[in-house]
Structure formats: structure tokens, C-alpha cells
């Protein structure tokens, strides 16, 4: 975001992201796929640039 000059204020005011969504993004909480798609479009990047998949072992 910093390299693209996009601030959280810009996401809220220009792109209509909710403050709750910004909070979840900043705190590594769950967000929906549409939010990630919108973010990638705004930042002109791919999903791999904004997502890290962490697999947890299955519990039996």
C-alpha cells in the first residue's frame, strides 16, 4: 500500500472499505474473498502479493 501511495484513509473514503474491514486486515483476521479481490484491483497486484496461507495440522 505504501509503495502505491494508498492509505487506510483512502481505502475508507475513496473505495468505501469499512473501518471493521480495515481493522481485520491490519490484525490478520478473516476477510472475504471479495475484499481481497478489491484490494488487489486497487493495488494492481496479484492475490499472492497480499495473502499468506498457513496450514494448521488436522486434529483427530
Amino acid at each position: 500500500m505504501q509503495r502505491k501511495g494508498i492509505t487506510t484513509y483512502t481505502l475508507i473514503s475513496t473505495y468505501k472499505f469499512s473501518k471493521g474491514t480495515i481493522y481485520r486486515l491490519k490484525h490478520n483476521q478473516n476477510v472475504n474473498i471479495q475484499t481481497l479481490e478489491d484490494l488487489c484491483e486497487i493495488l494492481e497486484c496479484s492475490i499472492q502479493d497480499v495473502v499468506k496461507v498457513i496450514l494448521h495440522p488436522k486434529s483427530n
Side-chain angles (χ1 to χ4, degrees):
M1 285 178 50
Q2 189 174 24
R3 283 183 279 167
K4 295 284 185 174
I6 303 289
T7 64
T8 54
Y9 178 79
T10 304
L11 291 176
I12 293 167
S13 63
T14 303
Y15 298 103
K16 308 303 180 203
F17 277 56
S18 73
K19 290 178 183 178
T21 297
I22 299 299
Y23 178 89
R24 288 190 298 279
L25 287 167
K26 284 186 168 190
H27 292 90
N28 296 320
Q29 295 180 352
N30 294 336
V31 293
N32 64 43
I33 295 296
Q34 185 62 53
T35 298
L36 297 175
E37 183 180 337
D38 293 344
L39 191 59
C40 288
E41 187 174 320
I42 292 164
L43 298 175
E44 299 174 339
C45 66
S46 67
I47 192 80
Q48 294 87 347
D49 295 326
V50 296
V51 172
K52 179 178 180 180
V53 176
I54 301 171
L55 300 176
H56 298 283
K58 290 183 179 179
S59 59
N60 292 330

